[in-house]
Amino acid sequence: MALPVDVEALEKAFSGIGVDEKSLISILTNSNEEHKKSLRKGSSKLFIEDENGFERSDQSSIKILKHQFKRFRDAVVLSIQHPWERDARLIEKAIKKGPKHYNVIVEMACTRSSDQLLGARKAYHSLFHHSIEEHLVTHIKGPERKLLVALVSAYRYEGPGVNEDVAKSEAQILYEAINNGDKNKFLDHEDAIMILATRSKQHLQALYQHYNQSYDKTLAQDLEGEGILKDTVECLCTPQTYFTRVLEAAVKEDADEESKRALTRVIVTQKEQLVKEGFVPNKIQDILLGLYKDFMLASIASGDIK
């Protein structure tokens, strides 16, 4: 008969993000059929007993388990792919999935170097026989299209020079575009799109500081609730804020599956940025399990992308 501690250990092996494979191996390979039967009876999270006294698996729980077992595989695949192919495939999937996933396109376009983004665009040609821009125009009909096309088309200057007067004047342009009318029209504001899509990150970070100093709030705060616009500004100007927000959402107790998948994407594909920004994995290590946990923590600890 399974002891309560065995049932607790079994359920705990599935209770985080990932799976505790070592515990499962220990429990299940040392169980005879009678012991497994009592495990099924004791584990209401995984099994339900029907009117005939038959302990059958709860299919909703099994579906969740399949997602948990996939996490390690998905992390390995993302890690081993060529970075250009990986980014191209992530962008293509985000385009097809629709508006709730456009932040992935923003991530790839705004956190990569100019050469890295150009490489992803080249990979997209080879993989899908179309350009990213063409697919964006074909599949996206909403107001986000203009901004997304501009972001993925960018080849930003990466030198150190910043004209502070221009940065300050452009902070005013963005402030007026946001506050002097309907925020929804910001996505049609030609100057605002030009600033976000073409200026260097150093310039935009200076602009961000001028905005804060001039208007006693940050540009991101002024775009609260504006989805893709806030994501764009944070990825360009304060990437640590953006990635912290994504990772914290992933480990919330009520996090949905897409939020949890973002944990894999961000840690595997943005580890250089996380290390640069001094990300400390304390908030995630207690909820991750098994090989997936080992892989995620090792990815962060490994430092720069090789």
Side-chain angles (χ1 to χ4, degrees):
M1 180 176 179
L3 298 173
V5 67
D6 295 329
V7 175
E8 181 182 358
L10 178 65
E11 293 185 344
K12 187 176 180 181
F14 301 116
S15 63
I17 302 178
V19 177
D20 185 350
E21 294 90 352
K22 290 182 180 178
S23 291
L24 289 179
I25 292 170
S26 176
I27 295 167
L28 297 178
T29 59
N30 290 294
S31 296
N32 56 30
E33 284 306 313
E34 190 63 29
H35 188 261
K36 289 179 182 178
K37 180 178 180 179
S38 60
L39 284 173
R40 289 192 293 269
K41 281 186 173 294
S43 181
S44 59
K45 291 184 178 180
L46 297 173
F47 299 92
I48 54 178
E49 188 171 306
D50 64 19
E51 63 275 10
N52 298 316
F54 178 69
E55 309 94 15
R56 61 184 177 86
S57 55
D58 181 345
Q59 289 305 295
S60 62
S61 296
I62 297 302
K63 184 177 180 180
I64 293 172
L65 289 183
K66 288 180 179 179
H67 286 303
Q68 300 290 25
F69 277 110
K70 279 183 60 197
R71 295 193 198 286
F72 177 61
R73 183 202 70 182
D74 291 346
V76 170
V77 171
L78 279 179
S79 183
I80 204 169
Q81 283 177 327
H82 191 291
W84 297 356
E85 176 188 359
R86 178 195 64 208
D87 288 357
R89 290 191 183 278
L90 286 170
I91 290 171
E92 191 266 347
K93 186 177 293 186
I95 293 172
K96 286 187 174 180
K97 284 188 172 183
K100 290 184 178 180
H101 302 267
Y102 292 165
N103 66 302
V104 177
I105 304 172
V106 170
E107 272 181 36
M108 301 301 113
C110 296
T111 64
R112 298 299 188 228
S113 70
S114 296
D115 284 336
Q116 288 170 337
L117 178 57
L118 181 60
R121 292 168 64 191
K122 290 178 178 179
Y124 204 98
H125 290 184
S126 296
L127 293 168
F128 306 112
H129 309 295
H130 292 278
S131 69
I132 298 175
E133 296 89 334
E134 184 180 0
H135 270 178
L136 287 171
V137 170
T138 301
H139 294 283
I140 298 177
K141 304 304 180 184
E144 311 96 337
R145 180 168 68 178
K146 185 182 294 185
L147 174 62
L148 290 172
V149 170
L151 290 175
V152 302
S153 303
Y155 192 85
R156 300 177 191 272
Y157 170 66
E158 295 179 341
V162 174
N163 186 317
E164 295 292 342
D165 291 335
V166 174
K168 187 173 183 178
S169 68
E170 291 184 344
Q172 183 179 353
I173 290 172
L174 295 186
Y175 178 81
E176 291 174 355
I178 295 168
N179 292 281
N180 293 353
D182 186 353
K183 283 186 181 180
N184 292 328
K185 293 182 179 179
F186 186 95
L187 287 167
D188 288 322
H189 196 291
E190 294 289 344
D191 287 342
I193 298 300
M194 180 277 295
I195 292 167
L196 293 178
T198 66
R199 294 302 191 189
S200 72
K201 293 175 186 177
Q202 292 88 341
H203 178 94
L204 290 170
Q205 288 160 10
L207 180 158
Y208 194 89
Q209 293 300 320
H210 284 296
Y211 196 103
N212 190 16
Q213 293 165 7
S214 298
Y215 307 112
D216 294 324
K217 54 185 172 181
T218 68
L219 178 54
Q221 287 173 331
D222 236 356
L223 291 170
E224 191 64 44
E226 294 304 311
I228 190 173
L229 283 171
K230 182 179 179 181
D231 293 340
T232 299
V233 167
E234 287 188 342
C235 282
L236 288 168
C237 302
T238 58
Q240 183 179 17
T241 302
Y242 173 81
F243 290 123
T244 297
R245 176 160 58 88
V246 172
L247 294 175
E248 287 181 347
V251 298
K252 285 183 178 178
E253 189 172 337
D254 60 349
D256 60 23
E257 182 56 33
E258 287 304 325
S259 296
K260 292 178 180 178
R261 285 177 183 166
L263 182 70
T264 303
R265 182 186 75 247
V266 168
I267 290 180
V268 174
T269 74
Q270 300 286 351
K271 63 179 181 177
E272 183 179 47
Q273 185 73 45
L274 295 176
V275 171
K276 178 182 176 183
E277 299 293 340
F279 175 75
V280 179
N282 293 345
K283 292 183 178 179
I284 65 170
Q285 61 185 4
D286 292 337
I287 196 170
L288 304 187
L289 296 173
L291 294 175
Y292 179 72
K293 174 180 180 177
D294 294 342
F295 195 88
M296 291 294 97
L297 297 181
S299 292
I300 297 171
S302 66
D304 292 346
I305 296 175
K306 296 183 176 68

